[in-house]
Amino acid sequence: MKIEGFEPIFGEPKAEWADSRSDSLGRFLFHVSAPDSSHLLIQVTDFRSNTWEAKRSVLQLDDTRDEIGIGGSWSEFIDYVVASIKSEDVKPILEGHLNADGNGIGEDDWQC
């Protein structure tokens, strides 16, 4: 299994709090790329004080494929991932609290 021909994807997700609080999160941007044929790199930032990165190996992606229950070939799964990322429904879900200055969110407080 390899990630081949993956074109970088940029987008603006609609971030929200996990517990539906009303604190404004502002705008976020994301970038998804394949730095090599074995990994997918996901970066999300608000270009102020919140930036996260997740790197997933093809083995982790294959595990995700099994958990979701998507059949078919590896390339069909990657096509599904690309289509999902390009959709209007990309939504980082943030947990935790704002830092004292009201700008940053505590480390490791996000999920996709």
Side-chain angles (χ1 to χ4, degrees):
M1 291 180 297
K2 291 183 179 180
I3 300 173
E4 297 176 331
F6 191 95
E7 295 293 324
I9 302 169
F10 296 86
E12 186 174 348
K14 295 165 182 63
E16 64 182 42
W17 289 108
D19 61 6
S20 302
R21 71 182 88 172
S22 62
D23 298 340
S24 174
L25 289 169
R27 293 175 58 186
F28 282 80
L29 297 175
F30 70 82
H31 172 242
V32 180
S33 63
D36 57 52
S37 63
S38 299
H39 295 91
L40 197 62
L41 180 65
I42 305 159
Q43 299 166 310
V44 180
T45 184
D46 67 358
F47 288 104
R48 293 183 321 173
S49 57
N50 300 302
T51 301
W52 300 273
E53 180 176 285
K55 192 173 190 179
R56 299 293 179 251
S57 70
V58 293
L59 295 176
Q60 289 171 311
L61 292 169
D62 194 44
D63 287 345
T64 300
R65 179 178 137 185
D66 291 341
E67 289 171 14
I68 295 172
I70 296 176
S73 69
W74 174 252
S75 63
E76 289 172 332
F77 174 68
I78 294 299
D79 289 344
Y80 167 81
V81 169
V82 169
S84 297
I85 294 168
K86 288 182 175 180
S87 79
E88 297 292 319
D89 296 327
V90 174
K91 188 185 320 180
I93 306 297
L94 304 173
E95 295 178 335
H97 59 281
L98 291 175
N99 291 335
D101 61 6
N103 289 325
I105 300 169
E107 284 188 35
D108 300 324
D109 289 336
W110 73 287
Q111 59 182 322
C112 285

